[in-house]
Amino acid sequence: MKIMRAFVVAMAAVLTVSLGAPAAQAATWSSSDRWGTWSNGGYTVRNNIWGNGYGPQTIWANSYSNWGVWANHPNTGGIKSYPHSEKMVNRRLSSIGSLSSSFNVSYPNSGAYTTAYDIWANNNAYEIMLWMNKVGAVGPLGSWQASVSVGGHSWNVYRGSNGHNEVFSFVRTSNTGSGTVDIKAVMNWIRNRGWFGDVTVGAVQFGYEITSSSGGLNFTTNSFSVSGG
């Protein structure tokens, strides 16, 4: 009986571990390192735990398009991480005929975070954030500038500085877990406001900017891609 009881306990432990992180265990690549990085299909996937006071976080990926994160960051202020998939563009805005991106995510309704694009220009002098959904006590940097429909979505636009670069945050007026964004149209709108000129578009990143996820939450990117020419 002792042998049978030990076997049952051992099997229960294995089952618990398996159920705890099924995607990560089955994935092509995973990492719990703060700066874990994987290149695939011309994209880069990063764990990117860059903030202070962070907890454990594991990123997994089957491809640049299908990846996710389990994160258990404490319920404190300040951004802990921005796990993401990135595509480099490295072209002047005026030379780009089109630049768009599509995404589909499954996200929790607890914690504090935003699912967002982070687009960099002029060697990171400018940061353009596109908030597709937000949960909990999170908000954009800077002050409100305008409400606008551009790039296929309706946004509230904020402008500010983090001390290193200018930040333009486009916060979608309602949450969505999927869609397509015309990134060039958004950047042309900023240019037409006179906020920057004919910038060089660098990285287009998409991921989860996590402030808290106490108890452990799963964020899943079902699909993501950047296209243009």
Side-chain angles (χ1 to χ4, degrees):
M1 290 298 292
K2 288 183 179 179
I3 294 175
M4 179 59 71
R5 189 177 298 113
F7 175 77
V8 170
V9 171
M11 289 303 295
V14 170
L15 183 59
T16 299
V17 171
S18 298
L19 291 176
Q25 290 195 353
T28 302
W29 171 80
S30 66
S31 176
S32 298
D33 184 81
R34 284 187 70 186
W35 313 112
T37 302
W38 184 56
S39 296
N40 173 257
Y43 293 70
T44 302
V45 183
R46 292 191 182 91
N47 207 22
N48 197 32
I49 307 171
W50 65 266
N52 296 319
Y54 56 86
Q57 176 176 295
T58 299
I59 192 169
W60 58 267
N62 293 311
S63 69
Y64 68 84
S65 179
N66 174 221
W67 61 277
V69 165
W70 174 86
N72 186 6
H73 299 300
N75 186 21
T76 55
I79 298 164
K80 310 302 189 301
S81 66
Y82 179 59
H84 62 266
S85 182
E86 171 190 281
K87 177 73 171 179
M88 291 300 298
V89 178
N90 286 332
R91 290 179 59 185
R92 294 292 289 269
L93 182 59
S94 62
S95 74
I96 298 172
S98 63
L99 180 62
S100 64
S101 179
S102 296
F103 69 97
N104 182 292
V105 298
S106 300
Y107 59 92
N109 289 314
S110 59
Y113 70 92
T114 179
T115 302
Y117 285 90
D118 213 359
I119 302 155
W120 299 88
N122 274 17
N123 197 28
N124 298 347
Y126 300 104
E127 180 180 6
I128 302 95
M129 298 199 73
L130 311 179
W131 291 31
M132 307 315 299
N133 64 59
K134 58 185 176 69
V135 174
V138 293
L141 185 71
S143 58
W144 180 87
Q145 301 293 312
S147 293
V148 63
S149 292
V150 64
H153 302 266
S154 295
W155 322 87
N156 285 308
V157 183
Y158 297 78
R159 183 185 184 187
S161 173
N162 59 20
H164 301 285
N165 48 264
E166 282 200 73
V167 182
F168 308 109
S169 298
F170 289 69
V171 181
R172 201 175 188 276
T173 54
S174 61
N175 285 347
T176 186
S178 63
T180 298
V181 184
D182 186 339
I183 294 171
K184 183 184 178 184
V186 171
M187 297 192 72
N188 277 336
W189 184 88
I190 298 172
R191 185 183 179 189
N192 290 337
R193 296 274 295 200
W195 292 349
F196 58 46
D198 188 15
V199 295
T200 297
V201 182
V204 175
Q205 302 172 340
F206 175 79
Y208 309 94
E209 191 174 69
I210 307 171
T211 294
S212 67
S213 53
S214 183
L217 297 175
N218 286 294
F219 305 79
T220 303
T221 306
N222 303 306
S223 63
F224 161 67
S225 63
V226 177
S227 58

